[in-house]
Amino acid sequence: MQHDERYMRFALEVAKTGLGQTAPNPAVGAVVVKNGEIVGFGAHLKAGEPHAEVHAIRMAGDKAKGATVYVTLEPCSHFGKTPPCADLLVETGVKRVVIATTDPNPLVAGKGIEKLQNAGIDVTVGVLKEEADELNRIFFHYITTKTPFVTLKYACSLDGKIATKTGDSKWITSEEARRDVHSYRALHDAILVGVNTVIADDPRLTVRLSEGGKNPIRIILDTHLRTPFHANVIQDTEAETWLIVGSDVPKERMALYEKPHVRIIPMNAPNIDIRELLHMLAEQKVTSVFVEGGSRVHDSFVQAGAVQEIVAYFAPKIIGGNDARTPVGGVGFAKMADVLELTIKRIETIGSDIKVVAIPKIK
Ligand code: NDP
Ligand code: ZN
């Protein structure tokens, strides 16, 4: 239909208001249209709270009967924390439902659409599907792979260095780029760094945007529990900190770090295996991880094939030096045939820097 895209675009905008705060649920938007007039809209804002369709139908009130509902994700058909939205749409007596994309959740997949069609509702699927899939890439990945979505982020000079030879890295990029990093943090459930980054930079790993934003869990890979007590991630209580350690760290040492916001999580092996870690995090309902370095940690994620998106900032500066670190260090790949190949999704200028967003090529 002629206006489907326009209303769906609005539904996507509405859905975006919930981004970063709906985990482990997707961000969803719904718009109710009657006789060419928008009579209701709504977004899912938090797990456990009403779904987008419920808000939109409530706002529309009596006008919802016979209306068309635009929804960015297939309406749910199962009893979760709230009753199924497909039932609500049927009971309300809407005439038509336009859906951007189907729900990969095996509990829902296709069943919501079926329910609507069985009730005689006219259903259209696939309007602005690409945009809707992009919006919920974290949720879709988590649901289908049962591991968190991993975004690898780094900021480097134009000659590809993430710090000087002495380890100084404050600051490589402009303030605008650093602000952009904070909005990425707010979108993820967890931020992860290696213990060397904590020792070198003592980052706070919190979200500091003028408009606020929730703080993700701070995760430190620290096999032997070397994180200094005075580190910001231990001393400030603004966010939870999870210290991931190997199986050999003595209990007495762990006890030293006892604080309400600090958790020490030992792995089952002496070293931290990235795949195992991701499975463990998924069990803890962590749906996304923003990996902020350093270079060894990046290498481990790349080697484990555990990267879904790369966000790289390039500053117009030359740092130079053989001993200055690059974004991905560690062991690297030996042959070009084995390297991680990427597709560039977006390039933007941000402040004085360039931002590149890339995703691994599907082989
Ligand atoms: P990392 O921060 O990557 O930490 C690596 C350490 O983490 C390892 O030595 C290891 O220590 C621990 N670790 C535990 N498990 C793993 C695992 N599975 N894979 C990898 N590491 C693991 O250290 P780097 O020295 O590579 O990088 C630090 C430097 O990077 C600093 O100078 C910092 O300033 C810079 N940096 C720059 C950024 C930028 O964007 N410009 C961002 C982040 C850092 P152990 O064996 O003790 O557990
Ligand atoms: Zn629902």
Side-chain angles (χ1 to χ4, degrees), residues 51 53 76 85:
H51 291 183
E53 298 91 320
C76 65
C85 291

Side-chain angles (χ1 to χ4, degrees), residues 155 162 196-197 201 223 226 272 292 294-297 300 325:
I162 62 163
N196 289 354
T197 294
D201 300 347
T223 320
R226 296 190 287 131
I272 302 166
E292 295 203 49
S295 49
R296 278 197 57 189
V297 163
S300 290
R325 283 211 171 79

Side-chain angles (χ1 to χ4, degrees), residues 69-139:
V69 178
Y70 293 84
V71 54
T72 58
L73 184 68
E74 176 178 0
C76 65
S77 59
H78 65 293
F79 278 89
K81 286 181 183 144
T82 57
C85 291
D87 292 359
L88 172 74
L89 295 172
V90 172
E91 285 158 21
T92 308
V94 306
K95 195 166 140 217
R96 183 168 174 247
V97 176
V98 183
I99 297 164
T101 193
T102 50
D103 194 325
N105 185 344
L107 284 172
V108 182
K111 291 184 197 138
I113 295 174
E114 222 177 88
K115 230 179 206 182
L116 299 174
Q117 282 172 334
N118 288 345
I121 295 173
D122 175 13
V123 181
T124 306
V125 185
V127 175
L128 301 186
K129 178 179 164 32
E130 258 177 51
E131 284 91 333
D133 286 343
E134 164 78 14
L135 180 77
N136 275 313
R137 60 195 191 283
I138 287 177
F139 171 74

